[in-house]
Amino acid sequence: AWRSLRTAGVRLAGGSDAPVEVPDPLTGIYRAMVNDIHSSECLSFASALEMYTLGGAYAAFRDKDLGALQEGFHADFVVTSLRGGRAAAESAARLKGAEVEEVWVAGQRAYAAS
């Protein structure tokens, strides 16, 4: 239903059912790009990423300071193992294998894989 909702103008927010499911945004983005039941509802990488950034901030009423890398916003982001730019990210199979290498919160590195 993701693509139909987006086409209808609905602002989508990605998330998980934690603690029932692992709160893994990369898996959520992957699942938005790959719909095994309704392939017509698959989203592009850009649309799926937006669900987990701008969409999540919007749902939390924080879209004035979260959800984007721009001046005046908190610099919260991750660095993944995925290499190859946008073309690599748009490959759902490659995205599925990506791992988080660093997590940055408010402009400070909060996690680094060893």
Side-chain angles (χ1 to χ4, degrees):
W2 295 127
R3 181 172 282 181
S4 295
L5 289 168
R6 184 173 170 80
T7 300
V10 174
R11 299 225 20 205
L12 304 175
S16 73
D17 289 332
V20 177
E21 293 184 14
V22 177
D24 179 3
L26 292 177
T27 298
I29 293 169
Y30 169 80
R31 294 305 317 159
M33 294 171 65
V34 177
N35 187 321
D36 297 328
I37 298 171
H38 302 287
S39 60
S40 64
E41 293 297 325
C42 296
L43 294 177
S44 68
F45 170 74
S47 293
L49 179 63
E50 184 178 309
M51 283 176 48
Y52 279 84
T53 54
L54 295 170
Y58 178 81
F61 303 102
R62 296 289 305 272
D63 54 323
K64 302 293 186 228
D65 66 342
L66 291 175
L69 290 176
Q70 65 185 54
E71 188 175 343
F73 281 53
H74 295 280
D76 298 346
F77 60 93
V78 298
V79 176
T80 71
S81 61
L82 192 61
R83 300 294 184 263
R86 186 180 183 119
E90 289 177 353
S91 165
R94 288 187 63 190
L95 178 65
K96 186 176 183 181
E99 295 181 3
V100 174
E101 293 181 343
E102 296 181 8
V103 176
W104 290 71
V105 179
Q108 302 292 315
R109 187 167 65 181
Y111 168 82
S114 49

